[in-house]
Amino acid sequence: MLYVRPEIVTDTSSVVLRGLPSEASGETLSGRVLIRLGYPLKVKRVTIVFQSSDSRKQQHRRQNTIKSNTAMEQDIFNAADNQAGYDVWPATYRSNAKELPFLFTIPGNTHESVRTAFGNIAYELKVTIHTCGFGINSWTRTQRIPVYRVPLEGSGWALSLTDPMCVQADWLGAVTLQMVGDCAAFADNSMLCARAIVRPMKKGQMLADVGMRLREKVCCKNLVDRFGDLRSSQHTVCEQMQKVYNPSDSLQMMALDHEQCFDLALDIPSAVASRIQYSMDTASICVTHELTLVATIVDPHKNAHLLRISAPVRIVPKTALEASFAELPEYSKSCFDRLLLVSSPRALELEHLDHNGDSGTSWCSPPPHVYYYDDDDDNGVSDNNSMSAVPPSYQPVFGGRGMLVA
C-alpha cells in the first residue's frame, strides 16, 4: 500500500508552567515522531514546529484581540550533508516505524491556552516531511498541546488556594444565608462541594428551594465598547436547584423553625471541552468565576423572595491542588506553644564508654529513658493514664502547636 503516516507521540499530554509569567522558568516538551511508510521514500528533511494557532477574528474598530506569536522550529532530520540532497527511506511494516526524537523548551512567559468569544489561543505541534520527486512533496500531521499555569510551591498564590470559603449575608433580619466550603479553589472535571446553611431569625418563614450556580466572566482588556468600558461576557457553567419540602405537606415548602443545612454539589466540566476556562489574569484577558447560593424564601404574607449570595472561586488544573503545602508558623500563634522537653546538660553526656570494645550510650543514640505523654487539661491537671516511670531529669510536656527544646 502507498501511504505515509507520521505520528507525534509526546511524553506529556500538556505543558504545565509553574509560577507567574515574571517568575516561571521554561518547561520542556519532549517526545518522538513515528513515521510509517508503505513504499520507499526520498526524504530531504523533517521539521517539527511548536506554534500558536490563535484566531484571526475581526473585532470592532479593528482592535487587537488576545493572541500569542509563538513559533519554535527545529530540524529532526536533514539530508543536506548527503551528496544527492536526500536520503532514501525503505518501506516499514505496520509494527515498525522510524523514530525521530525532539525536545522543546517552552518559555515561562508563554500565554496559557484559552478559548473565549474575543479570541482563542491554542498551541500545536506540527511535523512536516519534505520529499523530492513527482506528486506530493510534503506530508504534515498536527497535534494540539494545551498550555496551563500552576503556582509555585510555597508561593502566596499557592497558599491562597488552601483558604476556606465562608460567606454569609443577613436579609432584613429575618433569614441568614451562609455558604461554607473546605477551600475556594476547585479543579475542572471534578465535583464542587459546598454546604448551604439557612438560619431563620424570625418566625413564619418558609423555604421553597435552594441551589448553587457557577458562573464564568471573561473580560478582554484590549477591547472597549461604545461607552469606553472593557468588553466582557459571562455565562452559567453549571447549576443545581433542589426542591425542599415535606412530602406530607401540600404546600411543598419547608417551615423554617430551626437552622437547615444542605450539602450541595456541582459537576464542573472539563476545560478541554472548552465549556469552562481556568481562572487567569493576564495582560490581555481576565477570567474569573463566581459561585452563587440561591434560595427562595416565602414570608408570612405568602410573598416569594429570591435571595442570593456569591463568593469568588478559582478553577485551576488538578496539578495545582495535588501538591501539599505546609502551613507556615506565625508569631501571632506563639501563645499555643508549650515546652516539650526539659533536660539538664548532665543527662546528655555519655553514661558509659568501655575502651575494651563494649558499646555504651553514644552521642548519636537517644537517652535510654521512657518518655510519656502527659495530656494536661487547660487547667494544668494531668490525667491518670500518664506514665510515671520517668527520671527527674526529663520533664516532657505535650500540647499546643509548636515544639521548644531547651
Side-chain angles (χ1 to χ4, degrees), residues 289-322:
H289 297 87
E290 185 181 68
L291 183 63
T292 304
L293 173 62
V294 182
T296 303
I297 303 297
V298 180
D299 59 13
H301 302 287
K302 306 302 180 182
N303 296 324
H305 305 272
L306 184 62
L307 307 184
R308 296 188 298 265
I309 58 173
S310 301
V313 296
R314 292 186 178 183
I315 305 299
V316 297
K318 188 175 296 184
T319 310
L321 300 179
E322 289 177 351

Side-chain angles (χ1 to χ4, degrees), residues 224-275:
V224 295
D225 55 14
R226 64 183 65 182
F227 302 103
D229 299 329
L230 295 179
R231 297 188 60 182
S232 62
S233 64
Q234 54 183 346
H235 68 281
T236 300
V237 178
C238 54
E239 63 178 339
Q240 178 199 13
M241 296 301 298
Q242 178 180 345
K243 293 288 185 178
V244 289
Y245 62 91
N246 190 354
S248 61
D249 191 359
S250 60
L251 297 178
Q252 295 186 355
M253 289 186 294
M254 176 182 292
L256 291 177
D257 50 3
H258 61 278
E259 181 181 291
Q260 299 288 343
C261 299
F262 305 92
D263 292 329
L264 305 177
L266 293 177
D267 189 6
I268 304 177
S270 175
V272 180
S274 302
R275 292 180 56 190

Side-chain angles (χ1 to χ4, degrees), residues 86-106:
Y86 61 86
D87 191 7
V88 179
W89 288 0
T92 61
Y93 296 99
R94 294 183 180 272
S95 59
N96 298 328
K98 189 175 183 62
E99 294 189 9
L100 300 175
F102 65 88
L103 176 65
F104 288 101
T105 301
I106 311 302

Side-chain angles (χ1 to χ4, degrees), residues 52 286 295 310 348 373 397:
S52 59
C286 179
S310 301
L348 298 178
Y373 182 82
V397 178

Side-chain angles (χ1 to χ4, degrees), residues 28 35 49 51 53 87 92 130 205 236 242 244 246-247 276 293 337 340 350 369 399:
T28 59
I35 301 177
V49 184
Q51 60 185 3
S53 56
D87 191 7
T92 61
H130 302 273
Q205 309 296 328
T236 300
Q242 178 180 345
V244 289
N246 190 354
I276 189 172
L293 173 62
D337 295 339
L340 294 183
L350 295 178
H369 300 295

Side-chain angles (χ1 to χ4, degrees), residues 75-90:
D75 291 343
I76 55 179
F77 174 80
N78 198 332
D81 297 336
N82 197 331
Q83 184 177 3
Y86 61 86
D87 191 7
V88 179
W89 288 0

